[in-house]
């Protein structure tokens, strides 16, 4: 289901929407339906009998999806003429469409959840418990979500094995590999095995209980998504409709919205060649070059689709996504808060300090600095940044995103207790890592000279 007005997340008030029924294997449009809550000619006072009225729905925008689902499955003239009944429906978990269909049909209809929406639900559930467990950060949540997607993809149409695999995800992440399959590399290298993202695995027993609750619930529902199906063709169809019927303009008051949806359906099913067939039906010659262009578009589309299914294309897509995220994080670290909802109204802004340019002949300064970390691994968090040059000193504490190793705490005396950082039992003021690094950069900037950073170990500067 797609709407012609963008929802805000709190308000859904579109005057029209379009529903599309597509085949899982053919990925072609089987039937479409456009629902309109207004009609232009009715608004100016014309009677319904005097024109082709566009008003065909009287409920809210949210109620369009279950209503359209019933119309496309039960009251569909196209399916009825072919003597076809819909037995399995693939949809997301955002509406009551499946309940409406089951109440209206006189036979049992099976629902399979969209794999991508299911994955988003897992991520959302993990982010809900993230504030309670500092071992959970963005990378570790993505890791658990990837484990879930692997369990689904590798056990399609086998709900029993999928159930066991999903239920074992918390055990695997806590280095309990007794129930892992041959895919787990711990079986071949038990002494040197480390997770790619979470290193030696999670340690917090309360986090283990929380993950068991989430993934056990998912494991008990594998019948709902065991097919590993997805609604990407429907999402692509909705995007194509929006390209022809922009959400910034209202077409639904007249027949134009339905016409644009019909054109998109023809293009989706037949490609640009539909223009030639349409010209013949209205007794017009399509022309030689229009046919050549249509055939060329069809070949390009088929070639692009075939390339999009290759592992090389998917690996490159993931690589580009990772590079974009790394570039964003690297740039945002030095920029501070530049764009955020009500950032000037509700919080004090970090001042962005541009990169300074100094004379090449100026003698550089030697600045001593030291870092305290939450552990000894490369993935450990920075807990303190301290620097000193002459009488100028800098010190800041940063909040960790994971548990602090007890061996490290015995060395530097820093512990993270009840969401507060403590130094030798005394609570200290701490900031985010971004704010800490920006503050360190501002300290160096105020020295007004090129700086050579020299690390100091074995002592505390501040």
């Amino acid at each position: 289901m797609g709407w012609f007005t963008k929802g805000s997340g709190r308000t859904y008030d579109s005057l029209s929407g379009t529903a599309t029924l597509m085949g899982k294997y053919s990925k072609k449009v089987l039937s479409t339906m456009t629902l309109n809550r207004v009609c232009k000619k009715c608004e100016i006072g014309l009677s319904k009998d005097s024109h082709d009225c566009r008003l065909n729905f009287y409920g809210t925008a949210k109620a369009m999806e279950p209503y359209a689902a019933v119309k496309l499955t039960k009251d569909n003239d196209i399916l009825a003429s072919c003597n076809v009944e819909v037995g399995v429906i693939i949809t997301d978990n955002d509406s009551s469409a499946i309940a409406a269909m089951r109440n209206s049909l006189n036979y049992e209809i099976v629902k399979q959840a969209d794999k991508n929406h299911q994955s988003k639900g897992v991520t959302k559930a993990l982010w809900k418990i993230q504030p309670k467990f500092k071992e959970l950060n963005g990378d570790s949540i993505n890791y658990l979500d990837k484990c879930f997607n692997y369990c689904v993809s590798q056990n399609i149409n086998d709900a029993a094995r999928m159930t066991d695999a999903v239920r074992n995800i918390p055990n695997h992440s806590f280095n309990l590999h007794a129930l892992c399959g041959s895919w787990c590399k711990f079986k071949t290298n038990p002494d040197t095995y480390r997770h790619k993202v979470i290193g030696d695995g999670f340690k917090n027993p309360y986090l283990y209980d929380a993950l068991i609750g989430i993934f056990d619930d998912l494991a008990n529902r594998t019948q709902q998504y065991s097919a590993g199906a997805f609604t990407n063709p429907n999402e692509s169809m909705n995007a194509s409709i929006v390209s022809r019927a922009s959400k910034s303009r209202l077409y639904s008051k007249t027949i134009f919205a339905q016409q644009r949806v019909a054109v998109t359906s023809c293009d989706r099913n037949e490609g640009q060649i539909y223009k030639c067939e349409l010209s013949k039906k209205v007794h017009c010659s399509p022309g030689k070059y229009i046919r050549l262009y249509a055939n060329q578009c069809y070949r390009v589309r088929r070639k692009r689709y075939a390339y999009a299914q290759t592992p090389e294309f998917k690996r490159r897509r993931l690589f580009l996504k990772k590079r974009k995220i790394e570039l964003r994080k690297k740039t945002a670290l030095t920029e501070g808060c530049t764009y955020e909802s009500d950032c000037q109204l509700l919080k004090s802004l970090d001042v962005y300090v541009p990169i300074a340019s100094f004379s090449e002949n100026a003698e550089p300064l030697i600045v001593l600095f030291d870092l305290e970390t939450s552990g000894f691994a490369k993935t450990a968090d920075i807990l303190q940044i301290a620097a000193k040059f002459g009488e100028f000193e800098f010190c800041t504490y940063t909040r960790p995103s994971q548990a602090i190793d007890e061996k490290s705490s015995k060395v530097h005396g820093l512990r993270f207790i009840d969401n507060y950082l403590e130094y030798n039992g005394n609570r200290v003021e701490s900031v985010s890592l971004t704010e800490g690094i920006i503050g360190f950069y501002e300290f160096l900037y105020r020295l007004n000279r090129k700086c050579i950073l020299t690390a100091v170990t074995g002592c505390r500067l501040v």
Side-chain angles (χ1 to χ4, degrees), residues 20-186:
T20 308
L21 182 66
M22 303 189 70
K24 178 183 184 298
Y25 298 104
S26 67
K27 297 181 177 59
K28 291 189 176 183
V29 179
L30 303 180
S31 184
T32 62
M33 183 176 189
T34 302
L35 301 176
N36 303 311
R37 299 166 60 195
V38 291
C39 174
K40 181 67 175 178
K41 293 188 177 181
C42 289
E43 283 185 342
I44 62 176
L46 297 179
S47 63
K48 288 185 176 294
D49 299 333
S50 63
H51 64 281
D52 183 13
C53 184
R54 295 289 98 196
L55 178 62
N56 61 354
F57 187 73
Y58 298 90
T60 63
K62 288 184 176 181
M64 288 182 180
E65 186 162 354
Y67 176 84
V70 173
K71 289 293 183 181
L72 290 175
T73 54
K74 179 185 177 182
D75 304 325
N76 194 321
D77 295 335
I78 297 176
L79 298 183
S81 63
C82 300
N83 198 23
V84 172
E85 292 181 342
V86 177
V88 180
I89 191 78
I90 302 168
T91 182
D92 54 36
N93 300 316
D94 297 339
S95 76
S96 59
I98 185 63
M101 284 186 283
R102 285 172 176 168
N103 290 333
S104 62
L105 296 172
N106 56 5
Y107 61 89
E108 181 65 23
I109 186 170
V110 178
K111 181 215 171 186
Q112 282 291 305
D114 172 59
K115 184 172 71 171
N116 296 327
H117 282 79
Q118 196 78 10
S119 174
K120 291 178 182 178
V122 174
T123 306
K124 186 177 180 180
L126 292 172
W127 276 112
K128 281 185 179 180
I129 66 171
Q130 187 272 337
K132 300 179 182 179
F133 307 103
K134 294 306 175 182
E135 286 183 286
L136 277 183
N137 52 35
D139 292 335
S140 59
I141 288 176
N142 290 336
Y143 173 77
L144 292 172
D145 179 51
K146 186 177 291 186
C147 290
F148 173 77
N149 288 327
Y150 281 154
C151 293
V152 175
S153 300
Q154 294 172 0
N155 299 285
I156 290 178
N157 296 327
D158 192 341
R161 291 185 59 184
M162 189 181 296
T163 299
D164 295 337
V166 171
R167 186 170 281 121
N168 188 54
I169 291 175
N171 297 325
H172 176 72
S173 61
F174 275 82
N175 283 334
L176 303 174
H177 302 286
L179 300 177
C180 291
S182 58
W183 51 266
C184 180
K185 295 183 179 179
F186 177 85

Side-chain angles (χ1 to χ4, degrees), residues 159 212 235:
I212 285 291
E235 302 294 344

Side-chain angles (χ1 to χ4, degrees), residues 262-291:
V263 165
T264 306
S265 301
C266 292
D267 187 21
R268 178 82 189 187
N269 288 352
E270 306 296 335
Q272 292 293 318
I273 198 69
Y274 84 91
K275 295 180 179 179
C276 300
E277 302 301 323
L278 182 62
S279 298
K280 290 180 180 179
K281 287 187 177 182
V282 295
H283 306 291
C284 292
S285 174
K288 181 176 85 171
Y289 294 104
I290 292 180
R291 187 175 294 277

Side-chain angles (χ1 to χ4, degrees), residues 368-383:
L368 304 178
F369 81 99
D370 187 25
L371 301 177
E372 302 296 347
T373 60
S374 62
F376 304 100
K378 293 181 180 180
T379 56
D381 290 329
I382 295 176
L383 301 178

Side-chain angles (χ1 to χ4, degrees), residues 131-367:
K132 300 179 182 179
F133 307 103
K134 294 306 175 182
E135 286 183 286
L136 277 183
N137 52 35
D139 292 335
S140 59
I141 288 176
N142 290 336
Y143 173 77
L144 292 172
D145 179 51
K146 186 177 291 186
C147 290
F148 173 77
N149 288 327
Y150 281 154
C151 293
V152 175
S153 300
Q154 294 172 0
N155 299 285
I156 290 178
N157 296 327
D158 192 341
R161 291 185 59 184
M162 189 181 296
T163 299
D164 295 337
V166 171
R167 186 170 281 121
N168 188 54
I169 291 175
N171 297 325
H172 176 72
S173 61
F174 275 82
N175 283 334
L176 303 174
H177 302 286
L179 300 177
C180 291
S182 58
W183 51 266
C184 180
K185 295 183 179 179
F186 177 85
K187 303 286 186 180
T188 56
N189 299 300
D191 297 329
T192 60
Y193 176 77
R194 295 181 80 251
H195 299 274
K196 283 187 177 180
V197 178
I198 57 178
D200 295 325
F202 298 130
K203 306 297 183 184
N204 191 334
Y206 298 105
L207 174 60
Y208 178 77
D209 294 337
L211 293 181
I212 285 291
I214 292 175
F215 286 100
D216 272 3
D217 189 29
L218 289 168
N220 294 332
R221 301 170 182 266
T222 52
Q223 290 288 354
Q224 299 180 8
Y225 55 87
S226 59
F230 51 83
T231 58
N232 289 355
N234 295 74
E235 302 294 344
S236 175
M237 176 67 179
N238 290 336
S240 299
I241 292 173
V242 171
S243 68
R244 290 181 168 86
S246 173
K247 292 189 177 184
S248 62
R249 292 175 173 83
L250 181 61
Y251 294 99
S252 60
K253 289 186 176 182
T254 61
I255 199 174
F256 290 120
Q258 190 170 353
Q259 288 177 339
R260 290 166 190 263
V261 172
V263 165
T264 306
S265 301
C266 292
D267 187 21
R268 178 82 189 187
N269 288 352
E270 306 296 335
Q272 292 293 318
I273 198 69
Y274 84 91
K275 295 180 179 179
C276 300
E277 302 301 323
L278 182 62
S279 298
K280 290 180 180 179
K281 287 187 177 182
V282 295
H283 306 291
C284 292
S285 174
K288 181 176 85 171
Y289 294 104
I290 292 180
R291 187 175 294 277
L292 291 175
Y293 172 75
N295 291 330
Q296 181 184 4
C297 289
Y298 179 77
R299 289 193 297 269
V300 170
R301 176 186 290 186
R302 296 291 297 176
K303 186 176 180 180
R304 184 184 298 136
Y305 179 78
Y307 177 60
Q309 308 305 310
T310 60
E312 294 79 11
F313 174 84
K314 296 178 180 179
R315 278 196 290 265
R316 175 166 174 77
R317 182 180 61 189
L318 293 176
F319 167 74
L320 293 176
K321 181 180 179 181
K322 181 179 179 181
R323 188 175 68 175
K324 182 174 68 173
I325 293 174
E326 290 176 350
L327 178 62
R328 173 176 57 81
K329 289 182 177 179
K330 180 180 178 181
T331 308
L333 197 62
T334 59
E335 291 177 346
C337 180
T338 55
Y339 186 85
E340 187 178 320
S341 298
D342 296 322
C343 61
Q344 188 174 6
L345 176 65
L346 301 177
K347 62 185 289 188
S348 57
L349 298 178
D350 296 324
V351 179
Y352 169 59
V353 183
I355 298 176
S357 59
F358 304 109
S359 172
E360 294 292 336
N361 300 323
E363 191 71 20
L365 305 178
I366 298 178
V367 179

